[in-house]
Each structure stands twice: as structure tokens, then as C-alpha cells.
Amino acid sequence: MRSISFCQSAAASAQNPFNSLIDEFVTNLRCDGFSQKHIECNARLASHLLVWLEREGLALETLNAAEISCFVEHDCSGCTTQPNASQVYRCKPRRRPSVMRFVQFLENKGCVTTPGELDDNLRFVEEFVNKLRKDGYAAHTVSMYRNGGIHFIVWLHLSRISLCAVSPDICAHFHERQITLWYPGVLRVGRLHNTGLSYTNEVHRFVEYLSETGRISQSLPRALRPRYSKRIEQFSMWLKHNRNVCENTVARRTGQIAVALRSLGDDPREYDAAQIRQVLFKYVEKRSRSDAQQLATTLRMYLRFLVSAGEVSRALVNAVPSVPNWRLSKLPRYISVDDIERTIASCCGPMELRDRAILLLLARLGLRAGEIASLRLDDINWSKGTICITGKGGKQVVLPLPQDAGDALYVYIANVRSKKKNAAQRRVFLGAKAPHRPFAGHGAVSRIVRRALDRTGVDTRGTRGAHLFRHSLATHLLRNGTSLDVIQSLLRHESANTTMIYAKTDTTMLREVAQPWLGGIQQ
């Protein structure tokens, strides 16, 4: 609709009960130095907001971010039929700053109820940012954390949530929000990198800081896990306490069973053999054979858990079919000794002393990525030249520490690790970036290996993770005459059958024992 001047509309609607409020808002805008055009635009949008609230039956005192978002995105045609239609100015999402300027005026005047702690909470953000600077974070990273903290504080303020009420559920609600925030003098959309950012890591770290400093009573878990049903959480606890399964495996199993339950359903009393097989076969169609094998194992474990709880029959465990897996059907991936040495030699800079020590431990001892990540300073016995490795199932074994690997470890610990802010951590290997925390899992070790292989240009024709060095070590030992029993002991395999796969890589020995083909020489 064609807009008319604000003065004309005000005179035409002298009976409007909101006139005194709008007049005071206009006076406030004039004092702030806004032009007449901006004053008219802001005043009309303020009147529009009051008309819309009256039409929707919403109280001005409880106005919050969700209602403001609904107002900005609503259809204005319904407002033009109201008695105060002369003051309606069509609202568009781009006019959100003008709307928020009026909301801020209402908050300052006391017309809208707020937690009343915005300024104090913003000071907490600045304290948090200063701590990050002292910890050695890069300027860009500090800026992202500051934006995330301000975004979270403004969202709490506009959602009318007090800081002391912050909980994991409230943080999850913040990450799922569909509202673009703007608050005059504090948060401007144009100054953010991306208005659609969820700031998951930034808010998680900020809430951790608030918990550590006593500003809030609750803290978030280290990893933001999905929210599972009560039965899946009980299954997770059963895996930990009854099966002695490590945290990473528990997370993988619970995630797999959560996906399977979308098809199986939540009521175990309705499960039958046909339904279980159908779920597994449907999964096999879209995934690899190894993924299907893992799901089959997870289903059996979940059904055993239900059997222990008395919810299903024991016979139902046998309903899960076995996914075919022909042992020794594939050759283990490996690379040559020259490629291994070139990869290790590529870590020659002062920033790569950590990576060199990791690669040497992988190449000389055939350690797993998880064993590298969990290695502690107390596990190294410098006087005896040994290292204690905690393997699968928490089993520990003492291995001799090779000279070059020990030298690389010492150089890294003495020259790099001791200078980090978190040097008090007992884990040997820490992250290269502030705040230099221990590796979160085995994935960090595999990424180090992948970067080194890419830097060297080694073609692996397949996997490029940390296990590649383990396979390569076993293959080269066997080709040099080492017995399978020694290799089994070094790699800490419980079964000799696991080590037997490396016998296939010794092609020289296989040629000596190979029998002629019964059909004769093929033409």
C-alpha cells in the first residue's frame, strides 16, 4: 500500500492507545540523530508491531525472539483490515533492524520483561575471548569464538532465558534455531561471517568456560552426543559394564542400533526373525560388506541385551544372519620400505617433530592409531628403553623402544611439547593448535599419516590411514624371514589366524611351494 506521512497518520488516529508510546519512541530516535525518513519508517514499523500483537492476542510484556521472527515474516494483508490500519507499514525481513530498535526501546522502558543481565553476560564473553588470546588462539579463531558467544548471549536475552538456566537441552535448542538475530549496538548480521552458522564448537567451549568459572552450575558433555531413547542409553551402559567395550566402540554401536530401530521399531515384543532379516538385507543394499557385518554384530549384541532384560526370546539372537566373509580373500595393503622411509623423512621441519615421532612408532612397532593417541608419558621407561602399550580390551604389553623412535620422541617432548600451554597433560601427543589438547581419538593419527603420504606423493592404491604402516611392517618382516609367531607377538594378535593373512604377501615363498595347474599350461 502507498505510505503517507507519519504526521498525517498520527493526526488521523488520535484515539490510538499506543500513540504516547510511539511518540516517546520518535523522540528517542530524534535524540539519537536519525533522519526524518528513518524516523517515519521506524515509527510505522513500531505501530505495525503493536497492531500485529493486538491482532494475534499476544502480550507485549512477553515479546520474545520467536514472536519477533513470526512478525517479520507474517502476511501484512490481515493487518490492513484493523482499525489502526493507517499506521501499518508493510514489514519485510530486511526491515528487521528497525523492528529490533523498537524492541530494544521497549526493553529499556520496562514494557517487555527480560532477564536483565545482558551487559553482564556480554562482559563474560569478553573475559572468555581474552582467555583464548592468552592461550595462543589465532586472531581469526578468537573472532569466531567471540561471534559465537555474543550470538548465544543475544539469543538467550531475546528468548528471555536467564544464564543460570543454561543446560544441554537449551544449548541443543540454540543449535536448532531458525532465527536470524540482530540487536542494536551488540549484534549486527553484516558483521558476522555467516548468519546461518550454528556455532556448535564455539558455544560448547564458551559454556565450558562459564561452568569452570562458576557462572553456571551445569556443564556440557565433552562430545555433543545425539539424544537417544532410554532403551538405547541402557544398551550403551550394558556394553560398557557387561561387555567392557571402549567409549568409541560404544558410540559406534549405539549409533548403528539407533538407525536400525527406525525400521525395527521401539517395541521389542513385536520383533520377529523375518523383520530382523529384512532390516539387515535392506542395509546391505546401500552399504559395503564390512558395514553390513558390523550391523549384524551390533544387532546380535542388542538382542542379547534385550534377552538379559527379559524382553525377547533367546532364540531370536539366532535370527540375525551371518554376512559372508571369506577369510584371507584379500591381500593386506602395504607400501615399500623406501616409501615408508621417504614418508618419515618428509617430516623435517620444527613443526613436524611430533608427526615424525608418530610415524616412527607406527613404522617400527606397528602400533594402532588408538594406541598412539592414548600413549602417556608414564608409559615410556627411558632408563630401560621400553614403552608400555595399552591395546584392545585394555590389555597392556611392554615393547622395546627402537633407537630412532626413542630419539624422535625425546626431541618432540623436550623441544615442542614442554613449551605448550597444556604441557601438564599426561598424554604424550597434543594438538598443534591452541589450546594444545590431547588427541580426541584415533582419527587424528590417521590424518597425520594421510598428510605425510600426500606430501611425499606415495601411491597406496587404497587406504591411507595409520593401519597401512602396521600392514607394511608385517609384510616386510615376513619377506625377510621372520616367522609368523614372532609377527603375531609383535602385532599382539590373539589368534594366529589373524596373522596368517600376511603369508599371502610373500609371493617369493608362494612360488616355491605352488603346485602345477592340473589342466596343464594354458595357451
Side-chain angles (χ1 to χ4, degrees):
M1 59 179 290
R2 185 175 62 86
S3 64
I4 58 179
S5 70
F6 173 70
C7 296
Q8 292 175 343
S9 65
S13 56
Q15 304 302 321
N16 184 0
F18 299 128
N19 263 355
S20 59
L21 194 61
I22 299 299
D23 290 342
E24 190 172 350
F25 177 52
V26 168
T27 303
N28 186 274
L29 292 176
R30 285 200 180 101
C31 293
D32 290 341
F34 282 88
S35 66
Q36 184 63 26
K37 180 178 179 181
H38 279 86
I39 291 175
E40 292 187 6
C41 174
N42 281 265
R44 290 182 181 282
L45 284 174
S47 299
H48 190 170
L49 173 61
L50 297 176
V51 170
W52 179 82
L53 288 173
E54 188 177 30
R55 189 194 74 172
E56 297 294 325
L58 300 174
L60 181 63
E61 294 79 8
T62 59
L63 183 63
N64 56 37
E67 294 174 355
I68 295 170
S69 181
C70 290
F71 165 70
V72 172
E73 298 173 0
H74 85 286
D75 182 9
C76 299
S77 58
C79 300
T80 58
T81 61
Q82 300 296 315
N84 300 326
S86 61
Q87 288 187 307
V88 169
Y89 190 71
R90 289 191 179 274
C91 187
K92 298 179 181 179
R94 65 182 176 84
R95 305 194 197 278
R96 186 186 301 270
S98 300
V99 176
M100 291 306 304
R101 194 171 289 113
F102 181 56
V103 172
Q104 188 183 49
F105 164 77
L106 294 174
E107 292 176 354
N108 295 335
K109 189 174 175 58
C111 298
V112 177
T113 305
T114 67
E117 51 188 22
L118 178 61
D119 293 337
D120 291 336
N121 293 345
L122 290 175
R123 281 195 290 271
F124 297 156
V125 175
E126 294 305 321
E127 292 176 5
F128 170 62
V129 167
N130 290 333
K131 181 180 181 300
L132 294 179
R133 290 194 182 100
K134 293 179 180 178
D135 288 342
Y137 280 77
H140 173 74
T141 305
V142 171
S143 176
M144 288 295 294
Y145 276 108
R146 185 176 187 275
N147 287 336
I150 293 177
H151 218 76
F152 182 61
I153 291 301
V154 170
W155 177 83
L156 287 177
H157 175 76
L158 293 177
S159 300
R160 315 312 178 196
I161 299 174
S162 177
L163 185 66
C164 62
V166 170
S167 66
D169 290 337
I170 289 178
C171 291
H173 184 45
F174 168 76
H175 298 315
E176 296 167 358
R177 73 195 186 285
Q178 300 293 328
I179 300 171
T180 301
L181 300 179
W182 195 92
Y183 199 81
V186 178
L187 183 64
R188 296 179 181 273
V189 172
R191 298 173 69 179
L192 293 179
H193 296 277
N194 185 350
T195 57
L197 288 175
S198 64
Y199 293 110
T200 302
N201 295 330
E202 290 80 3
V203 171
H204 187 278
R205 189 72 58 80
F206 179 52
V207 173
E208 275 187 344
Y209 169 78
L210 294 175
S211 177
E212 293 169 358
T213 54
R215 270 61 183 266
I216 62 174
S217 57
Q218 298 193 50
S219 60
L220 299 183
R222 173 62 61 184
L224 293 176
R225 295 177 57 241
R227 287 176 283 184
Y228 294 127
S229 64
K230 182 179 179 180
R231 182 175 281 109
I232 295 182
E233 292 294 344
Q234 291 173 346
F235 172 59
S236 173
M237 298 302 296
W238 181 81
L239 288 175
K240 293 178 184 177
H241 300 298
N242 294 65
R243 302 301 295 269
N244 193 27
V245 179
C246 68
E247 289 287 342
N248 291 336
T249 305
V250 169
R252 185 171 67 251
R253 299 296 184 194
T254 50
Q256 288 173 339
I257 205 63
V259 173
L261 289 185
R262 296 174 188 172
S263 302
L264 278 175
D266 295 327
D267 189 0
R269 294 172 296 181
E270 299 180 358
Y271 295 171
D272 56 31
Q275 186 181 14
I276 292 173
R277 289 173 177 266
Q278 183 179 4
V279 170
L280 185 59
F281 292 154
K282 182 179 179 181
Y283 192 86
V284 171
E285 292 178 356
K286 300 179 180 180
R287 302 296 182 98
S288 65
R289 187 183 300 275
S290 61
D291 288 340
Q293 288 173 337
Q294 289 195 21
L295 179 61
T297 302
T298 301
L299 280 173
R300 290 192 196 96
M301 298 176 79
Y302 182 67
L303 291 174
R304 291 190 183 104
F305 157 73
L306 295 178
V307 169
S308 67
E311 297 191 68
V312 298
S313 170
R314 186 178 298 274
L316 197 59
V317 178
N318 299 325
V320 181
S322 298
V323 178
N325 178 25
W326 293 276
R327 292 190 60 82
L328 308 179
S329 60
K330 296 180 180 179
L331 285 172
R333 298 289 184 180
Y334 66 93
I335 56 179
S336 66
V337 175
D338 292 339
D339 288 339
I340 290 176
E341 296 304 323
R342 284 197 301 115
T343 304
I344 296 173
S346 68
C347 304
C348 55
M351 300 300 294
E352 296 164 349
L353 294 177
R354 179 203 61 181
D355 297 355
R356 175 180 172 81
I358 290 175
L359 293 179
L360 281 169
L361 288 174
L362 292 172
R364 304 297 187 252
L365 296 177
L367 301 184
R368 301 180 179 92
E371 296 166 350
I372 294 283
S374 61
L375 189 64
R376 302 174 66 85
L377 292 173
D378 301 333
D379 296 332
I380 306 173
N381 191 325
W382 298 105
S383 60
K384 295 183 179 180
T386 59
I387 184 171
C388 181
I389 302 300
T390 302
K392 291 185 176 180
K395 296 181 180 179
Q396 293 185 338
V397 61
V398 178
L399 297 175
L401 184 60
Q403 185 66 45
D404 55 353
D407 291 342
L409 266 178
Y410 178 79
V411 170
Y412 162 69
I413 293 173
N415 298 332
V416 180
R417 190 189 182 284
S418 60
K419 299 179 182 179
K420 295 184 182 298
K421 297 289 185 179
N422 280 350
Q425 291 278 355
R426 301 311 296 169
R427 295 281 185 88
V428 173
F429 297 107
L430 304 178
K433 295 182 179 180
H436 308 298
R437 292 181 174 178
F439 292 160
H442 60 85
V445 179
S446 292
R447 286 191 291 272
I448 289 173
V449 173
R450 193 175 302 115
R451 286 198 301 267
L453 291 171
D454 293 341
R455 185 168 57 243
T456 312
V458 175
D459 182 14
T460 62
R461 293 191 178 133
T463 179
R464 300 178 71 80
H467 231 63
L468 178 67
F469 279 65
R470 184 176 173 89
H471 289 323
S472 301
L473 174 64
T475 300
H476 300 321
L477 286 175
L478 184 65
R479 290 187 174 183
N480 290 330
T482 307
S483 66
L484 288 175
D485 292 337
V486 174
I487 296 175
Q488 178 186 352
S489 177
L490 176 62
L491 299 185
R492 288 156 284 120
H493 290 154
E494 290 189 1
S495 174
N497 292 332
T498 307
T499 317
M500 286 294 293
I501 189 172
Y502 297 106
K504 299 177 62 176
T505 62
D506 192 354
T507 54
T508 303
M509 185 180 295
L510 289 176
R511 288 192 186 97
E512 295 178 0
V513 301
Q515 299 295 320
W517 176 246
L518 296 178
I521 300 177
Q522 294 184 351
Q523 299 296 328

